[in-house]
């Protein structure tokens, strides 16, 4: 049985629709079969995060950014991100949220910490206050300001050095003379030691001998402590 052209075209269109639906589910991170729940995060600045951006816990992808809304309060305007998380990803009280990059200039994503151990598991729809991302423009501006201050300090130091050039040269010259004098003194001391080497050696020998005698005396007194109290009797003079 041959298929007519209408049936063939219908089958091709159906296949294309199924393929496109599969790609949409895959690329759009739609979750029709996976169980999950929603948390909300508020930032003052989301730094380019978009809907469908990944959500990661400790570097592992567990969900997507489902929606972004502007929340105008009395004090400030904040961006509220609705996060869809896989039901297996349990976030505890005390968790923090960050805006991060995949690589240096890669896609923006929302990073979550799981929270401290022992903390209570957050219930769906809980709002987490996010940690504000660093402002790259402000960092560059601060860096330029610091560089300008360093340049000013360098110029000031250079000006003082130029202004006191003669005094600095004089100090360095005096230090050179002092070093030469110290070298001369050291040389004289070496010569004196060499000239009196025999006397010094003799003194060292005598000191060593005295030390040995003291050691022997100390040992003898320890062995015979009565010698400390012994006094020889004086011989009586004979009467003639």
């Amino acid at each position: 049985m041959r298929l007519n052209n209408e049936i063939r075209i219908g089958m091709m269109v159906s296949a294309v629709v199924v393929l496109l639906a599969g790609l949409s589910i895959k690329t759009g991170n739609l979750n029709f079969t996976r169980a999950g729940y929603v948390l909300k995060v508020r930032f003052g600045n989301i730094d380019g995060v978009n809907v469908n951006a990944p959500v990661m816990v400790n570097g592992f992808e567990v969900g997507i950014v489902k929606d972004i809304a502007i929340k105008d309060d009395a004090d400030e305007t904040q961006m509220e991100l609705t996060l869809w998380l896989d039901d297996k990803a349990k976030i505890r009280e005390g968790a923090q949220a960050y805006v991060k990059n995949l690589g240096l200039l890669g896609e923006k994503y929302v990073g979550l910490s799981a929270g401290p151990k022992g903390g209570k598991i957050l219930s769906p729809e809980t709002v987490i206050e996010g940690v504000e991302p660093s402002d790259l423009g402000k960092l560059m501006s601060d860096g330029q300001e610091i560089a300008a201050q360093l340049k000013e300090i360098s110029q000031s130091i250079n000006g003082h050095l130029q202004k006191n050039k003669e005094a600095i040269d004089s100090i360095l010259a005096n230090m050179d003379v002092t070093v030469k004098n110290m070298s001369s003194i050291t040389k004289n001391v070496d010569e004196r030691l060499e000239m009196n080497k025999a006397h010094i050696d003799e003194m060292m020998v005598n000191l060593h001998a005295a030390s040995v005698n003291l050691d022997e005396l100390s040992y003898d007194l320890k062995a015979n402590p009565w010698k400390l109290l012994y006094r020889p009797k004086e011989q009586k003079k004979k009467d003639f």
Side-chain angles (χ1 to χ4, degrees), residues 42 69-80:
R42 288 190 177 183
I70 300 175
K71 295 293 181 180
D72 287 318
D73 296 331
D75 297 330
E76 59 180 343
T77 299
Q78 288 189 310
M79 306 300 295
E80 184 177 89

Side-chain angles (χ1 to χ4, degrees), residues 40-44 76 78 95-97 127-132:
K40 296 186 178 182
V41 180
R42 288 190 177 183
F43 292 98
E76 59 180 343
Q78 288 189 310
Q96 292 182 315
V127 177
I128 301 173
E129 292 297 329
V131 178
E132 295 299 323

Side-chain angles (χ1 to χ4, degrees), residues 36-43 55 67 71 79-85 89-97 110 112-114 120-130:
Y37 64 101
V38 167
L39 291 179
K40 296 186 178 182
V41 180
R42 288 190 177 183
F43 292 98
V55 176
D67 186 42
K71 295 293 181 180
M79 306 300 295
E80 184 177 89
L81 279 62
T82 301
L83 311 181
W84 182 92
L85 302 179
K90 303 300 182 183
I91 309 299
R92 295 181 287 271
E93 288 184 351
Q96 292 182 315
V110 176
L112 295 175
S113 64
K120 182 181 177 182
I121 301 298
L122 295 179
S123 58
E125 302 293 333
T126 298
V127 177
I128 301 173
E129 292 297 329

Side-chain angles (χ1 to χ4, degrees), residues 114-148:
K117 292 182 179 180
K120 182 181 177 182
I121 301 298
L122 295 179
S123 58
E125 302 293 333
T126 298
V127 177
I128 301 173
E129 292 297 329
V131 178
E132 295 299 323
S134 58
D135 190 337
L136 184 59
K138 186 176 184 303
L139 289 176
M140 293 180 65
S141 176
D142 292 343
Q144 291 176 351
E145 183 177 350
I146 292 172

